[in-house]
Structure formats: structure tokens, C-alpha cells
Amino acid sequence: MIIRPPRHWFIRLFAWHGSVLPDILFRLFLNLLMSIVAVYTFDWYKTLGIKLTLAPFSLLGIAIAVFLGFRNNVCYGRYTEARVLWGNLLIACRTVQRQVIAVCPQERESIMQLLLAFCYSLKHQLRGSEATADLTRLLGDDAQNILARRTPTNTLVLQLSQRLAARRQAGELSEMVYVNLDQSLKQLSAVQAGCERLVSTPVPFAYTLLLHRTVYLFCCLLPFALVPDLHYMTPLVSVLVSYSFLSIDTLAEELEMPFGREGNHLPLDAICHNIEINLREMNDENPLPADLRPDAWYRLT
Amino acid sequence: MIIRPPRHWFIRLFAWHGSVLPDILFRLFLNLLMSIVAVYTFDWYKTLGIKLTLAPFSLLGIAIAVFLGFRNNVCYGRYTEARVLWGNLLIACRTVQRQVIAVCPQERESIMQLLLAFCYSLKHQLRGSEATADLTRLLGDDAQNILARRTPTNTLVLQLSQRLAARRQAGELSEMVYVNLDQSLKQLSAVQAGCERLVSTPVPFAYTLLLHRTVYLFCCLLPFALVPDLHYMTPLVSVLVSYSFLSIDTLAEELEMPFGREGNHLPLDAICHNIEINLREMNDENPLPADLRPDAWYRLT
Amino acid sequence: MIIRPPRHWFIRLFAWHGSVLPDILFRLFLNLLMSIVAVYTFDWYKTLGIKLTLAPFSLLGIAIAVFLGFRNNVCYGRYTEARVLWGNLLIACRTVQRQVIAVCPQERESIMQLLLAFCYSLKHQLRGSEATADLTRLLGDDAQNILARRTPTNTLVLQLSQRLAARRQAGELSEMVYVNLDQSLKQLSAVQAGCERLVSTPVPFAYTLLLHRTVYLFCCLLPFALVPDLHYMTPLVSVLVSYSFLSIDTLAEELEMPFGREGNHLPLDAICHNIEINLREMNDENPLPADLRPDAWYRLT
Amino acid sequence: MIIRPPRHWFIRLFAWHGSVLPDILFRLFLNLLMSIVAVYTFDWYKTLGIKLTLAPFSLLGIAIAVFLGFRNNVCYGRYTEARVLWGNLLIACRTVQRQVIAVCPQERESIMQLLLAFCYSLKHQLRGSEATADLTRLLGDDAQNILARRTPTNTLVLQLSQRLAARRQAGELSEMVYVNLDQSLKQLSAVQAGCERLVSTPVPFAYTLLLHRTVYLFCCLLPFALVPDLHYMTPLVSVLVSYSFLSIDTLAEELEMPFGREGNHLPLDAICHNIEINLREMNDENPLPADLRPDAWYRLT
Amino acid sequence: MIIRPPRHWFIRLFAWHGSVLPDILFRLFLNLLMSIVAVYTFDWYKTLGIKLTLAPFSLLGIAIAVFLGFRNNVCYGRYTEARVLWGNLLIACRTVQRQVIAVCPQERESIMQLLLAFCYSLKHQLRGSEATADLTRLLGDDAQNILARRTPTNTLVLQLSQRLAARRQAGELSEMVYVNLDQSLKQLSAVQAGCERLVSTPVPFAYTLLLHRTVYLFCCLLPFALVPDLHYMTPLVSVLVSYSFLSIDTLAEELEMPFGREGNHLPLDAICHNIEINLREMNDENPLPADLRPDAWYRLT
């Protein structure tokens, strides 16, 4: 499915996206308040010998640029890696299903169910949500055995493996073809372990703390540094600079753990749904479930 | 085919490329207008106590540089990844065809048709255009069955797979050679899923919004910050700075979704055509279709 | 397991993380002292014709930004690579175990013990700690032969290999399936050699020295450069800038060698423990060991 | 062969390399001229109310730094990728030859000729030069059939493939060993398609235009911005800044299409020659051709 | 082996590392001299209308930051790639040896000698040193045949290959297992070709020239630009800035060709030695050679 947000520059300028901005609105308001305080108390605190100029802030700005740029790259890299892993899942599912249809068509139905169960189980594992409904729909009573496990997703790969091993034992799959299928199962394992790695290893917390503190202190002190130069224009410029620094920080934050259900997270529901449509059509099922559609903000969950 | 845009620096300086500049001309004109307003109202609004200096804009410039640089890298990365995927498609097509010619020459014609149908179907899927003409040309009546599917491109891989599986069943392909061909089919799947990933996962929309807004506000306020220093020269410098910021932003935008038919998009028509020439010559067809040539702006579609 | 540090911005601002800050507190205090000296001796040393302004420090700031940014990327890259290697270890262990269960279930117990011994032995090798307890728990008396070796971890791969080779010799594993298992053992070797490479090749020491010296001299001279502009505000800004430069330097330092037991190091204990749970559940053991839980600062060892 | 340019810093400072500088000399001279004009007309045009200061140029400098850095990375990346591809060609050639010597020594001569013909044909295809001489030298009369093709390089892979397939048909190569050789042929295809991709997909032309224009306008206006501060020193600084910007731009330009015969292009002649020496020595030929030597500027073609 | 340079910040500040600094000491001294000249002639040359300010140097500083950052990344990337290649060599050697022990134990001794000869021969080839002693130690009289070749390292892979092919011919290795071993030999080839690529393709010389010249001119002019602001403090700041720019440039230079025996080069002696210990212990040899230890500056050769 092709997803295209609106491209006209004027629309984009005023589009309300529903993410990031609501999270930082309160802090922007605080910054505005502090700017106004700075403007009105400037003449008084100047007499106390307190002054701040913009020059040292450029210097600090360089340091923050290094931090923000680094953290943003890292978090977006996690988001992209997560998306690539789920893209690999689509490849692996299609490939296993195609191979099974070609060399062992009697298992096409049962393998498809296990593959879909793997996808949904992985999704629920990553989101910390309840897999019972999806697994029961796909596997029927067998779902209970899976759900009772500590590592249900891994158990599903094991079951796929054992199903194929049984056919090999029965002489229906040659060694060569069995090993070829086994290679594809390995890719399911790789996707699972890659996602688990992302979810259990956040960016070192010290980075996040360090960046937050530096950015916040910077935004707090900024109005006082701007006031000698800009006077009445201080609130405008201060809020604009704070907006750009705080929102890139917040956005990076959201992308760090991309498996949730928030605005800029990966649409795992839609991806699982798409895998289901693909595998079911490969098995000539008819009719197929309808596509999921993005909401008014071009978002899928 | 070797594609070389003109290299002389003087020609490049004034070359009309037909992309990017037309998209931002209107906004540059607005910026020029605002600069002129700034120059002529400067003396008046200064008396109101409103002043803007360049110092805070350097600071904002750093933030925007981080954003623009990041987004530009990401979008160009998508463009490059898309091009690599289509390069891999050429490798996979040549390899499958070569292997089929070597071990199963009786299928060389039918496999070629399916491979070409795969390429054209993928192109149309990515561009959201109509695949009927191309598929009918290649597959004849079989095209209808493909086109009726929800996932036509994937169905073509399945048909390739089943064609080879039938030969294996008939004992004409050994297990080993069959698995080797199957590995190459997997690469077709990988190309398809990679392209689908790019097309269904734009850069998080919040990045685009954030960047647009910051860049536009920056360009709007810039003339007022330049005027105290530059006076009559304000329009020149303001338009130059805006030109560079807006055009890198617009160019990144175009590269984000590289499968279209615009100026800087990938020449999928030419790539498909090239694959067709390669496969047909491998089957000793004669005469071959002519090469596609770039237009006056060194562009192919 | 999903690990999520607290996300509210206000909590983060004042959270005490227990890493980085304690390491640089003394140096920050020195910087504060020097700032106060600068403020109170400014009038005096100015009369000697000594003056420092901020402009050359911006220039030096650019150079330091290049260095810090580079070193930070490199060290974080090492951290990430180490994490990916241990993620690959999980994939390899699950895959070997799955394959053994499918094609050679009589070895499932002994192979699991060797796989776990490999993981724990690698962990202890990388941390320079004592492997005796873990290996004895897993291998019993055989542990002595392993521990007596100069390269115990590599010896464990060799034992895995010989165990499978014996089954192949006995005709219980076909050539094809044996080679498939051998490929998975190769991945264990790749993980081991990757970790050994990280641990035996620090970032060239000259980088570290160069960066330390430049950052420290910069922080020492900074108060004297700030004082003409900021006077009483010098200590605040000087400590803020030093905090951001020193902490990113210190953090990079910690991530450079990510196999230790400090705050931001990889939780190898938890990773090994998780592999153990996975493999034991694949062998249907019951009950399984409990999960390790992060401490109050969201850290695992 | 180890290639080492001179390392002493003093020699390097004045070394004449013969590339880049000649290309930009004329533009540097224009810049010098414009600087002198700026110095001598400064007093006059100042009276017209025209003034330019350096501050907005720092801002523009940031934008240009982002552009230049990006384009430089991209072009150097293409150069490196091209070099890696030709390194992979060496690996693939050595491996095919080694495998053929081990399992099918009766074909060692003919396969070597086809491998070398592949390398030379690819070189000529990428440079748009005439392959007749090299192919005739290697293949004798068969060269005509290859040269008459639209895709001669690909045809050579096909011939390699068919040669091996004939041996397999004759029962001289087992399925397993045949597939192993086929995998190595696939790498030849991958190298070819990778190089074709680089050569048919320049960096989007809009980037080049955008960067040229911005850099040139920047360099043109720079003297007028420097003159109020530096007066007589304007030409020195202006030419120095222009030198650094223009030469990195020109160098990136040269690396963008690395398959030519210019100063900083890849030494394809030497690489092909080296492959020939390697393969001929593997076939115990004697005497071998002499090594190619770099010229006085440490360059090979 | 775990290599840890000292971590205390105070020790690091004054540690004498023995690399980089000695190379630039003379140039730093020149810079100091020029600073003193600038301070004492300032009043005189100012009367000639010659003046330099810091503002244009910030601009040049940005350009140099782009260059230095780029070249540093590229050179460190070469260093890392070289290290990874030698890490892969360790993986490949262990794997070949392990596989040979498992499936063809009668060749374990001779294969080990050839593997070690390959490692030492590659080391000597990359360093341009004499391989006779090492090869004679390992291979005895056979060393002469190898050393007489133009491509001795590649010949060793060929001999490994032929040794295994002979066993296959004799029916002692199945096709499957032979191909598996052949894949591992391919990795030796890949390591060799990768190292040869690094050694025969320096970073384009034009980059090095360009960067040297810009950095040196910058450092030469810097004192004259600092003197109006800093007066007596000029030498301190000028030497500090020059130190950071020159040393990162020199360090990058050293890492560009990482196969030598200088301070920051790869410890190929130690790596070869480590491979030897590993392989010999896999063959149960006893006693093993002692580990190599780093010298007082934490360096190995």
C-alpha cells in the first residue's frame, strides 16, 4: 500500500499532526512565560550586575547540536532497523509459504497458521499486550499450550521446525529441501531476536538524561541571553528556538522504542494484517480480509 | 548505459534543470517581497522598539543544519536503497535466467516471461499505475488471473516457483539445483518486500512537519534580521540563503519517495527496459528493442 | 523483556542515575573554583595586559565538536556492535538447539549444556572473571578440561563440533544436515571472534589522549574567556558548558569497552540468563529460573 | 602492491599533484580579480548605501557545509563502493579459478580466458572504450561473437555458465560442486550489475546544480563581505576560502564517476592487469607479465 | 586478551604516548614562533593598513571541520575495516581447522601449517617485509616454492584447496563436506583481497594535499588573526588550536595505512601469534608459545 502524506508546502505549514506538539506544549508555554519575565525584569536585574550574552550560547549550541544530532540518528536508526526487521519477516513468511506450497503442499494450511501465529505473537510480545485472542483465532485449542510458555514466540518456531522434521522423517521431504526450509526458519529467529534486542536495550539512559538536562537548561537561560539584543522580540525567537530543540528531542524519544501504538510508532497491526492477506492469498483463500486504512493524520497502528 | 550530465562549471551555473527550482519559485518570490517590505519599513518599526539581530539566527541555523542534514541523508538513503534494490533485481533476473538456460533450457522462454512480468508488475505496483498493458503483452491470457489478485507481484513469484517445482517433480531438476534456483527466487521476494517497505513507510511525518515549519519561519524572519546590517543588500542575501535552504528541503522531499515519475525519481521504465533487453539477448532473441535515451535534462523516467 | 526508563520530562530532569555524574563531579568542582577565581581576579590580571575573548573559543569549539562527535560515534558503535553480537549469539543458540531437537533429539541435553557453557565462558573471558563456578554447574567434571585450556571458549566450539561429527560418523546425521549444523557453529565462532576483537582493540589511545587534553584545556581556559562578557554569571555558564563536554566524553569512555559491570555496560549476566531460559524451555524443562530484574536505576549487569 | 604517496608534511605542502588544482585555477583567478575590484571600489560603493558584512555569510557557510559535506560523502562513497566491487571481482576470479583447478582441471585454461575476458570487457564497458583488442587477445576468433552482442559482458558470464553446465551434463561435475561454482559466477554478475548501477545513476543532477550555484555565488560575494574588515588582506583570505570550497567540490565531482582515466579515478588497467597475473600464476604460466607502476604523481590508470 | 589503557583522567592528561606528538612538535614550534612574531610586529604592520580579524577564520574553520571530520572518518574506517578483516581471518582459520578435525583428522597437522603460513605470508606481504623466516619455520623445504612465486599468499590458498581436493578425489571427503570446507577457504581469499585493496588504494592523494595545505595555511595565518583580540595570550591559544588540528590530521594519516609497525597501527604480530596459539591448542599441542604483551605505551606491533 502506498502511503503519502500531503505534499503542498502551505498545507504542511499549518497541518495538525497530533504528535510531538501536544507533548511539548506545556514546556513551550513555560518558556514563553520565562521570556516575558525576562523582558520585564531586564532593567532591574541588570542593575544587580547580572548579565548574559548570546556568545557563550552559540558555543553551548554546538555541543547540543552534536548531542541532538547523535541521539536523533541513533533513535531513527532503531526505528529503521525495526522496520527492516518486520520487512524481513514478510520476506521470510512469503518464502516459507512459497517453498511449502512447492515441495510439501499437504502442509500449506498448518504452516500458514503457525507463521501467522508467529507474527501476531511477536507483535504482542513487543507491545507487552495480550496475545490470547489472536492466537486462539489462528491455532484453536493449541493456543493454550503456546500461551502457557515463558517464550511463546520461540516455541512457535520450534513447532514449525518439528512439523517439517516430521515430514522429513516420513521421507516426504528430501534432506536438501528440508535444510532449505530450515534456513528460512532461521530468518524468523533472526527477526525475533533482533526485535527483542531493540526492546530490551534502550539507548543508554545516561545519554537521554544528559541531553534532556542540557537542552532544558539551555532553553531556560536562553530568554535572558536574548533580551539584551532583542528586547520585545525575545518571546518570539526564544519560543521558536525552544520549539525546534524540544521537538526534535521528543520525536527522537518516540522513535527510540518504535513498537508501541503512538503516533510515530511502527504500524505493526497493519504489517501483520498485510502478511495475513499475502499468505492467505497464496493459499487461494477467498474472500480476503480488507486492507487497514490510515487515519486522518496518515497514521496506522 | 553511461549517463553523464554536462561537467563544465559555467554551463552548470546557468543550466535549467526543470526540477526543484519551479517548486520553490513562488516561495522565493514571497521571500523577496518580504525583504523589500523589511527594507522600507525598517525605520518605522524600529521606532516601535521592535528589533531583530542576526546572532540568534546563527543559533537557529545550527539547529536547522542538524535537521536538514539529517533529513537529507535519510531521504537520499531511501533513494539509494531503492536503486540498489532495483540493481539487485537485475542481478536476480540475470542469474535465474542463466541458471535456467544451463540446467533446464526447455523453460527458458516461459521463465523469462514470468521474470519480466514480475519486474513490470512491481514497477506498476510501486507507482500505483495500471499493469494490464504490460502484463498482457508478456503473459497473454494468463495476465487476467494475475491481475485479478490482491497481490499480483507476489503471485508471479509463486508461479515461477511452481513452474520449477513441477520440473523437479518430473525429475528434470535435481534437489540441489532446484534449491539453488529457489535461492534466487528468494532474492526476487527480497527486492519486492524492500520496495514495498519504502513505499508504505515514509519518513515519520512529524520530521517533515517540524522541518518545514522551522525552515519557513526562519526564512520569513530572516529579512528582518538582516536589514540592520545589510540594508539595501538584504533582498539579495535573504533570497540566496532561502534558496539554499528551501531547495535542499524540496529535493530531499522528492527523493523520499523515489518511485514516481518526477525529475529526480528513479528511471524505473528504463531499468525494466534494460532488464528486458538483457534477458531477451540471453535467449538469443533478435532484433532487440532499442535503448531508452535520457531527455534534454539528462533524465529518464 | 521490555525495559523502559521513566519518560516524563520533569522526572528525567532531576533523576539521579548513578553513572557519569559521579565520575566528573570533582572536575566540575575544579571548574567552578577556577570560574570564581577568574571573576575575582579579572580586574587585576586585565591590568597586566592579559585578555581572553570568546571568539577564538568558538573556533576551538568547532574542532572539539568534530573530535567529540567522532569519538562518541565510534564508542557507541562499539557498544552497539557488542550488543548485536550477543543478539546473534541468542539466534545461534536457539537455532542450533532447534536443529538438534529436530534432527538429533538424543543429543538435545548435552548440546544445550555445551551451548550454555559457551555463553558463560565467553562472558567470563570478556570480563576477565572466573568461569569455574558456571562451567562446573553446567558441565560437571568435564569443566576441568575446559578450564585448563588457554582458549577455553574456542575449545567448547570444538567439542560441540566433535559431538556432532561423532553422530555423523555413526550415520545418525546425513552429510547435508551435518553441514547445516556446522554453519550454525560457525556463527558461534563469529560471535566469539567479534567480541575478542572489540576487547583486544580499544579505540587508538592517541585519540583518547588528544581529546582529553583538548577538552580539559578548553574547560580550564573557558572561565577566563567568559568573564569579560558575563562577569558574575561566569560560574553558571562555565560549569554548564563543562558539564556537557565532560559528560559526553566520560560516557563515550564507558561505552568503549562495553563488557564490564559498570552502569552503562551491557547486561551480560541478564543476556546469558535469558539464553539459558530459552534453551531450557526448548528442552521442556520445568520449572525455569526466574527472570533477572533491573535495579532502581533501570540497570542490569 | 603497496602504494605510498610521500608522507613528509613539507613535501606535501608544495607537491604538484596535477589534479583538481588545474581545474579550478581559472575560477580562483576570477575570485582574485573580484577581490581586487572589491578593495579598490569599496570607498565608492559604500557611498551608494551598499554594504555586505560577514555575519550572514557565516550562516550561509553552515548551509554550504551541510551540502558540501553531504555531497563529498556521497561521491567518496561511490568511489569506495566501486573499489570494493573490483576487489570482489578479484576474489570471485581467484575463487572460480581455484575451484576449477581443484575439481575440473581440464577446463582451467578456457575458464581463465573467459574470466579475464569478463574483467577486460567490464572495464571497457564502464569506460565506454573499445574492447576489441583485449577480447581478441584473450579469446581469439570467439571474440567476434561476444563483441557483436548488445550485452557482451553478461554474455561472457553466460558462456562461463554453459561451459560448466556442459561438464555437469557430461557427469564430470557433481551437482553439489556445480552449484558451488554457480554461486561464484553469481558474484561476477553482482559485480557487473553494481558497476552498471554506479555508471547509469549519477548523484541526482539537482544536487550538483544546487551546490555549484550556492558555492559560486558565495565565492563571488565573499570579497565584498570581507573588505570592510580586512581591506588589503581581502584577496588572500578570499582566495584561500574559495580554494578550499572549490577544490573539495571539484574533487567530489571527479570521484562521482570513478571509472574514467583521470587523476583520482580507479586504476582499472592496473586492477585488470593484477587479476591477469594472479590467474596466470595459478595456472603455472611462466613468465608472467610485469607489474604496472604508478607515475610520478603516484597514479595508476 | 583484554587491553586497557589507563583510565584516570589526570594520568591521561599528562601521559606520554610516544605517537603523534613527536611528529608535530616541530610544526607547533614554528607556530609558536610565528605567534611571537605576530605579537611583537603587530603595532608596526597595523600602520601599513594590514589587518586580519577572526571572523573570516570561523568561516574557514567550518570548511576545515568538514574536511578534517571527513578524512578522519575515512581513515578510521580503513583502520576498522582492516581490523575486522583480520578478525575474520581468525574466524576462518578456527573454522577450517575445526572442520578438518571433525571430518578429516588425518590432515589436521598439514592444514594447520598451511593456515599459519597463509597468515604470516599475508602479514609480510602487507608490510613489505621478508617472509622467508616465518614460512621456513612453518613449511620447511616447501617454503622455497611458495617464496619463488609472485603471489605467494594466493598460492597458499591454492595449496590448501588442492590438499582437500586430493582427499575428495580419494573419496575421504563427501561432496557436501568438501564444498563446506571450500566456502571457508573463500573467506581466506576475501580477507586477503580486502587487505590488498586497502594497501593498494590509499585515500585519493588530492584529499590529503588539499587538507594539508588548508590546515597549514590556516595555522600560519591564525596568530595574525588572534593578535588584535588577545595580544599577549596569542601564542597560548594559537598553539592550542594548532595542536588540535595538526594532531587529528597526523593521527588520521597514521590510521590510513594501518598495516605498518608504527604506534597506532594494527598489531599484526600479536594477531598472527594469537591465531597460532589457537590453532596449535586445537591440535592439542603442548606447550604453547607465550602471549605477546603490550609495551609501556599499551602498544603491540
Side-chain angles (χ1 to χ4, degrees), chain B residues 36-48:
Chain B
I36 294 172
V37 168
V39 171
Y40 284 98
T41 60
F42 178 54
D43 291 325
W44 167 73
Y45 74 73
K46 202 169 52 178
T47 61
L48 304 178

Side-chain angles (χ1 to χ4, degrees), chain D residues 1 4 9 12-13 15 72 76 83 94 98-99 174 177 180 184 229 244-245 247-248 281 284 289, chain E residues 51 63 67 70 74 149-151 175 182-183 186 193 196 200-201 207-210 213 216 253 257:
Chain D
M1 187 187 350
R4 293 231 89 176
W9 62 273
R12 287 195 164 175
L13 199 50
N72 191 41
Y76 183 74
R83 185 62 189 86
R94 278 178 178 163
R98 181 172 58 68
Q99 290 171 337
S174 71
V177 160
N180 194 31
S184 302
D229 272 11
S244 66
F245 278 14
S247 48
I248 198 115
E281 182 155 72
D284 298 315
Chain E
K51 62 173 180 176
F67 289 15
F70 164 75
V74 164
R149 291 278 193 143
R150 287 271 286 283
T151 57
E175 296 289 288
D182 189 83
Q183 296 294 336
K186 203 168 183 171
E196 287 174 355
S200 69
T201 316
Y207 272 118
T208 314
L209 283 189
L210 172 57
R213 283 178 194 153
Y216 289 171
E253 177 81 31
M257 283 294 182

Side-chain angles (χ1 to χ4, degrees), chain A residues 49-254:
Chain A
I50 295 171
K51 64 173 178 176
L52 274 173
T53 59
L54 212 52
F57 279 73
S58 308
L59 218 149
L60 195 57
I62 292 172
I64 290 181
V66 171
F67 289 15
L68 267 180
F70 164 74
R71 186 151 172 274
N72 191 41
N73 278 332
V74 165
C75 290
Y76 183 74
R78 290 170 61 94
Y79 172 83
T80 309
E81 190 184 354
R83 185 62 189 85
V84 168
L85 285 169
W86 278 85
N88 290 348
L89 184 55
L90 174 59
I91 301 175
C93 285
R94 277 177 179 165
T95 302
V96 173
Q97 187 68 19
R98 180 171 59 66
Q99 290 170 339
V100 166
I101 291 175
V103 300
C104 188
Q106 58 273 40
E107 288 281 7
R108 62 195 293 176
E109 200 60 33
S110 58
I111 293 291
M112 185 193 76
Q113 279 155 5
L114 285 169
L115 285 174
L116 291 177
F118 176 85
C119 298
Y120 283 100
S121 172
L122 182 57
K123 182 187 81 170
H124 289 296
Q125 176 185 345
L126 296 174
R127 288 188 164 168
S129 56
E130 190 49 70
T132 316
D134 276 322
L135 291 199
T136 310
R137 172 172 71 84
L138 289 161
L139 301 179
D141 294 342
D142 294 350
Q144 292 315 314
N145 300 326
I146 305 293
L147 290 162
R149 292 280 194 143
R150 285 272 285 283
T151 57
T153 318
N154 189 33
T155 305
L156 285 161
V157 187
L158 194 61
Q159 291 207 350
L160 276 163
S161 175
Q162 284 174 318
R163 198 128 210 156
L164 296 171
R167 292 287 173 181
R168 168 180 162 271
Q169 221 75 31
E172 295 172 44
L173 287 178
S174 71
E175 296 287 289
M176 191 68 222
V177 159
Y178 168 73
V179 164
N180 194 32
L181 277 160
D182 188 82
Q183 296 293 337
S184 302
L185 293 190
K186 202 168 185 173
Q187 291 187 5
L188 294 180
S189 264
V191 169
Q192 184 195 350
C195 290
E196 288 173 355
R197 170 168 53 78
L198 286 174
V199 113
S200 70
T201 316
V203 176
F205 192 38
Y207 272 118
T208 313
L209 282 189
L210 171 56
L211 191 55
H212 272 245
R213 284 178 192 152
T214 320
V215 168
Y216 290 172
L217 278 171
F218 180 87
C219 290
C220 280
L221 292 174
L222 189 61
F224 300 93
L226 289 172
V227 113
D229 272 11
L230 301 183
H231 214 62
Y232 288 126
M233 299 303 281
T234 301
L236 180 68
V237 174
S238 172
V239 168
L240 181 56
V241 172
S242 301
Y243 167 65
S244 65
F245 277 14
L246 289 176
S247 50
I248 199 117
D249 177 41
T250 306
L251 184 47
E253 178 81 32
E254 281 190 23

Side-chain angles (χ1 to χ4, degrees), chain C residues 142-192:
Chain C
D142 294 350
Q144 291 315 313
N145 301 326
I146 305 294
L147 290 162
R149 291 278 194 144
R150 287 272 284 282
T151 57
T153 318
N154 188 34
T155 305
L156 285 161
V157 187
L158 194 61
Q159 291 206 351
L160 277 162
S161 174
Q162 285 175 318
R163 199 126 208 156
L164 296 172
R167 291 288 172 181
R168 168 180 160 269
Q169 221 75 33
E172 296 172 44
L173 287 178
S174 71
E175 296 288 288
M176 192 65 223
V177 160
Y178 167 73
V179 165
N180 194 32
L181 276 160
D182 189 82
Q183 295 295 337
S184 302
L185 294 190
K186 203 167 184 172
Q187 291 187 4
L188 295 180
S189 264
V191 169
Q192 183 195 352

Side-chain angles (χ1 to χ4, degrees), chain C:
Chain C
M1 189 188 351
I2 304 176
I3 296 187
R4 294 230 89 177
R7 293 193 56 194
H8 196 278
W9 63 272
F10 194 79
I11 294 173
R12 288 195 164 175
L13 199 50
F14 296 102
W16 175 254
H17 180 52
S19 77
V20 178
L21 202 50
D23 294 331
I24 63 170
L25 220 52
F26 181 68
R27 281 169 275 172
L28 286 182
F29 178 73
L30 282 186
N31 187 273
L32 179 68
L33 221 74
M34 198 156 295
S35 305
I36 294 170
V37 168
V39 170
Y40 283 98
T41 60
F42 177 53
D43 292 325
W44 166 74
Y45 73 71
K46 201 168 54 176
T47 62
L48 304 177
I50 295 171
K51 63 173 179 176
L52 275 173
T53 59
L54 210 53
F57 278 73
S58 308
L59 218 148
L60 197 57
I62 293 172
I64 290 180
V66 171
F67 289 15
L68 267 179
F70 164 74
R71 185 150 171 275
N72 191 41
N73 278 332
V74 165
C75 291
Y76 183 75
R78 290 169 61 94
Y79 173 83
T80 309
E81 189 185 354
R83 185 62 189 85
V84 168
L85 286 168
W86 279 84
N88 290 348
L89 184 55
L90 174 60
I91 301 175
C93 286
R94 278 177 179 165
T95 302
V96 173
Q97 187 68 18
R98 180 172 57 69
Q99 291 170 339
V100 166
I101 291 174
V103 300
C104 188
Q106 58 272 40
E107 288 281 7
R108 62 195 293 176
E109 200 59 31
S110 59
I111 293 291
M112 184 193 76
Q113 280 156 4
L114 285 169
L115 286 174
L116 290 177
F118 176 85
C119 297
Y120 283 101
S121 172
L122 182 57
K123 181 187 82 171
H124 289 297
Q125 177 185 344
L126 296 173
R127 289 189 164 168
S129 56
E130 191 49 69
T132 316
D134 277 320
L135 291 200
T136 310
R137 171 171 71 83
L138 289 161
L139 300 179
D141 293 344
D142 294 350
Q144 291 315 313
N145 301 326
I146 305 294
L147 290 162
R149 291 278 194 144
R150 287 272 284 282
T151 57
T153 318
N154 188 34
T155 305
L156 285 161
V157 187
L158 194 61
Q159 291 206 351
L160 277 162
S161 174
Q162 285 175 318
R163 199 126 208 156
L164 296 172
R167 291 288 172 181
R168 168 180 160 269
Q169 221 75 33
E172 296 172 44
L173 287 178
S174 71
E175 296 288 288
M176 192 65 223
V177 160
Y178 167 73
V179 165
N180 194 32
L181 276 160
D182 189 82
Q183 295 295 337
S184 302
L185 294 190
K186 203 167 184 172
Q187 291 187 4
L188 295 180
S189 264
V191 169
Q192 183 195 352
C195 290
E196 287 173 357
R197 169 167 54 79
L198 287 173
V199 113
S200 70
T201 316
V203 176
F205 192 39
Y207 272 118
T208 313
L209 283 190
L210 173 56
L211 190 55
H212 272 245
R213 284 178 192 151
T214 320
V215 169
Y216 289 171
L217 278 171
F218 180 88
C219 291
C220 279
L221 292 174
L222 189 61
F224 300 93
L226 290 172
V227 111
D229 272 12
L230 301 183
H231 213 61
Y232 288 126
M233 299 304 279
T234 301
L236 179 68
V237 173
S238 172
V239 168
L240 181 56
V241 173
S242 300
Y243 167 67
S244 65
F245 277 13
L246 289 176
S247 50
I248 199 120
D249 178 41
T250 305
L251 184 46
E253 178 81 31
E254 280 189 23
L255 298 184
E256 187 189 338
M257 284 293 182
F259 295 119
R261 303 177 63 92
E262 283 171 52
N264 296 298
H265 287 176
L266 285 178
L268 297 193
D269 288 344
I271 295 174
C272 285
H273 194 79
N274 182 38
I275 294 177
E276 188 161 354
I277 291 174
N278 269 274
L279 297 194
R280 289 199 186 278
E281 180 155 74
M282 288 175 85
N283 275 356
D284 298 315
E285 290 192 19
N286 205 341
L288 297 167
D291 277 339
L292 295 186
R293 295 265 154 228
D295 70 3
W297 293 328
Y298 316 100
R299 302 186 312 196
L300 289 157
T301 51

